[in-house]
Amino acid sequence: MAEKHYKYVIVGGGVAAGYAARDFAKQGVKPGELAVISKEAVAPYERPALSKAYLFPEGAARLPGFHVCVGSGGERLLPEWYAEKGIELILSTEIVKADIASKTLTSAAGAMYKYDVLIIATGSTVIRLSDFGTQGADAKNIFYVREIDDADKLIEAIKSKKNGKAVIVGGGYIGLELSAVMKINNFDVTMVYPEPWCMPRLFTAAIAAFYEGYYAKKGVKIIKGTVAVGFDTNANGEVKAVKLKDGSVLDADIVVVGVGGRPLITLFKGQVEEDKGGIKTDGFFKTSVPNVYAIGDVATFPMKLYNDIRRVEHVDHARKSAEQAVKAIKASKEGKSIDVYDYLPYFYSRSFDLSWQFYGDNVGDSVIFGDSDPASPKPKFGSYWIKDGKVVGAFLEGGTADENKAIAKVARLQPSVQNLDELAKEGLTFASKI
């Protein structure tokens, strides 16, 4: 196959790729200079929709409704937009070999793409139970939700197993969001996870107690402290039961697994410097190789606010790292300088009637405030994290836009705190005064 040459190539077709394409267009990329190569069959979209509104029984989100960049209030980039801007959108194309020395990418079909500047935006892939050798993990109707194809298959199963039993394996983001969605679809839902409480990487026991209580009130059963060790199937090869390590067995028509992800960096192994499971970059998302950048989930970058290096798997960072890298590419070309990336960690989730936001770092002592009773008609509560006498992180459930801005400001400015009991009493008032 003939090789094609581009000035800029973005490999990957997720959120970071879509936002980078928009930023290249803003910077005035010329027609034919930029290509986006994606193994998915559709233009970049806002991935968080897949575990939320895409699965709703009524008023479900559908493409083209959530193509990037609507998730941050921007213009929706339909496939035609790329054509109008002279950006080549190369879909259904998996890159299987990357040779950074010769600046060449090779697809599964043998097509070759040459570049001057490479932006790695390959994102993450799900960790599968088959990776652990779990017995029966390849049964039909065991789902992982990462791409739109995954969500489409799950929707078909929801329709065919109407009002059935669903087991959700995992207690993090995907576990909590998919449990809510399956319940809204009128399934009998059980969540299973090994940790002592849900979302353990972010939630304290006190925060988790609210969500577990709320989910229980909605009819979601929660089994903690054990894991799925096997699956039974029916004559059609469909999952019919989940076997747990504690010896119990759960009937299941559908199983959804959310046990984490891993960055897709295999293509670049041994060719770029790595750190903390990702590709090491500087504050401009430049890798150890000139003219190669990494953005989104795959980038391990300096966190200026905390003077350390981190890798962040979240849509907000995917968007912002894309913008920073494209700005840096333009500045480098023009011999100018820009500020280094100064990211404030941000995470959020929505499920049932709940909506929370978190900013900053969840280290040190935590102080909970507000009404965290799961039985309250309108629960509203939050938490601050205090380290070395300063507030370093803030969480809020049920906040208004202004209140969420206030807790973000607190996490960014890190005000001093003398008395934790006083802080708990002040609650949101403390944030609004900063």
Side-chain angles (χ1 to χ4, degrees):
M1 279 190 173
E3 66 180 34
K4 291 188 173 181
H5 184 273
Y6 300 93
K7 189 168 186 180
Y8 309 105
V9 169
I10 301 168
V11 61
V15 172
Y19 278 76
R22 178 187 68 171
D23 291 318
F24 268 115
K26 278 186 190 169
Q27 303 286 14
V29 71
K30 293 184 178 69
E33 286 190 333
L34 171 63
V36 179
I37 305 174
S38 173
K39 70 180 175 70
E40 291 195 69
V42 295
Y45 55 86
E46 303 284 1
R47 209 176 286 286
L50 297 183
S51 56
K52 303 178 182 74
Y54 197 76
L55 300 171
F56 286 177
E58 291 168 32
R62 285 292 176 268
L63 289 178
F66 60 98
H67 279 299
V68 297
C69 298
V70 295
S72 59
E75 178 191 359
R76 186 183 292 121
L77 309 186
L78 303 176
E80 302 85 66
W81 176 89
Y82 297 85
E84 284 162 15
K85 299 292 181 188
I87 296 168
E88 190 150 350
L89 188 57
I90 303 167
L91 301 174
S92 303
T93 300
E94 186 176 5
I95 297 300
V96 294
K97 187 184 176 196
D99 187 333
I100 285 179
S102 68
K103 298 190 169 186
T104 307
L105 304 170
T106 307
S107 78
M112 296 180 83
Y113 305 93
K114 301 275 285 187
Y115 59 82
D116 298 333
V117 177
L118 177 66
I119 299 96
I120 301 168
T122 40
S124 294
T125 186
V126 294
I127 294 170
R128 296 179 175 269
L129 293 180
S130 51
D131 297 343
F132 308 115
T134 307
Q135 173 266 324
D138 55 354
K140 292 175 188 167
N141 289 346
I142 298 178
F143 297 96
Y144 301 81
V145 179
R146 175 71 193 173
E147 297 179 356
I148 205 159
D149 280 356
D150 303 327
D152 284 340
K153 287 170 189 161
L154 177 54
I155 287 166
E156 287 310 306
I158 288 169
K159 287 174 184 169
S160 71
K161 301 292 181 183
K162 215 167 174 55
N163 307 334
K165 292 180 186 292
V167 175
I168 313 296
V169 178
Y173 267 107
I174 292 292
L176 286 165
E177 292 182 357
L178 264 294
S179 292
V181 165
M182 294 305 288
K183 195 70 202 172
I184 292 165
N185 276 287
N186 210 31
F187 273 68
D188 180 316
V189 180
T190 304
M191 280 180 85
V192 178
Y193 47 90
E195 298 88 358
W197 62 78
C198 65
M199 196 75 95
R201 284 198 297 177
L202 175 58
F203 289 177
T204 60
I207 294 171
F210 165 79
Y211 291 97
E212 290 172 355
Y214 191 96
Y215 273 56
K217 192 167 71 92
K218 289 285 189 182
V220 175
K221 295 181 278 297
I222 295 174
I223 299 172
K224 299 186 271 191
T226 190
V227 292
V229 292
F231 300 92
D232 289 335
T233 56
N234 62 19
N236 298 325
E238 296 174 336
V239 69
K240 68 172 188 179
V242 183
K243 295 185 277 192
L244 304 182
K245 194 174 184 179
D246 66 8
S248 53
V249 178
L250 305 173
D251 291 339
D253 300 298
I254 290 176
V255 174
V256 186
V257 182
V259 292
R262 60 168 67 94
L264 280 166
I265 61 171
T266 315
L267 281 172
F268 311 99
K269 283 271 177 201
Q271 301 184 76
V272 290
E273 203 174 323
E274 292 176 33
D275 204 344
K276 295 194 171 177
I279 296 170
K280 189 176 182 180
T281 73
D282 63 11
F284 308 102
F285 296 98
K286 293 177 188 170
T287 70
S288 56
V289 178
N291 295 316
V292 177
Y293 295 74
I295 57 175
D297 289 6
V298 298
T300 300
F301 62 95
M303 187 78 79
K304 184 180 174 184
L305 194 57
Y306 307 122
N307 197 28
D308 62 8
I309 62 166
R310 300 190 185 184
R311 195 177 62 77
V312 174
E313 291 181 8
H314 195 262
V315 65
D316 181 63
H317 164 66
R319 294 167 181 155
K320 288 174 179 167
S321 60
E323 183 182 16
Q324 175 73 352
V326 175
K327 264 192 210 161
I329 289 165
K330 184 171 190 275
S332 172
K333 195 172 89 177
E334 295 173 349
K336 294 177 182 172
S337 61
I338 62 167
D339 293 334
V340 298
Y341 194 56
D342 188 7
Y343 186 64
L344 173 67
Y346 164 57
F347 299 93
Y348 74 89
S349 186
R350 291 188 295 273
S351 56
F352 292 121
D353 298 322
L354 305 174
S355 175
W356 60 258
Q357 295 194 9
F358 166 82
Y359 294 88
D361 219 5
N362 59 331
V363 293
D365 298 318
S366 64
V367 167
I368 201 161
F369 60 84
D371 177 8
S372 60
D373 182 351
S376 292
K378 272 215 174 254
K380 183 172 186 171
F381 72 99
S383 179
Y384 296 115
W385 280 262
I386 300 91
K387 187 183 178 198
D388 300 330
K390 291 177 178 177
V391 179
V392 295
F395 171 96
L396 185 60
E397 165 61 53
T400 64
D402 285 344
E403 288 164 345
N404 287 327
K405 275 183 195 161
I407 64 161
K409 192 175 177 187
V410 165
R412 166 70 73 185
L413 296 179
Q414 301 184 359
S416 297
V417 170
Q418 308 303 321
N419 186 312
L420 299 193
D421 292 333
E422 281 300 312
L423 181 63
K425 277 183 204 156
E426 275 196 88
L428 261 178
T429 312
F430 174 82
S432 61
K433 293 188 306 193
I434 301 301

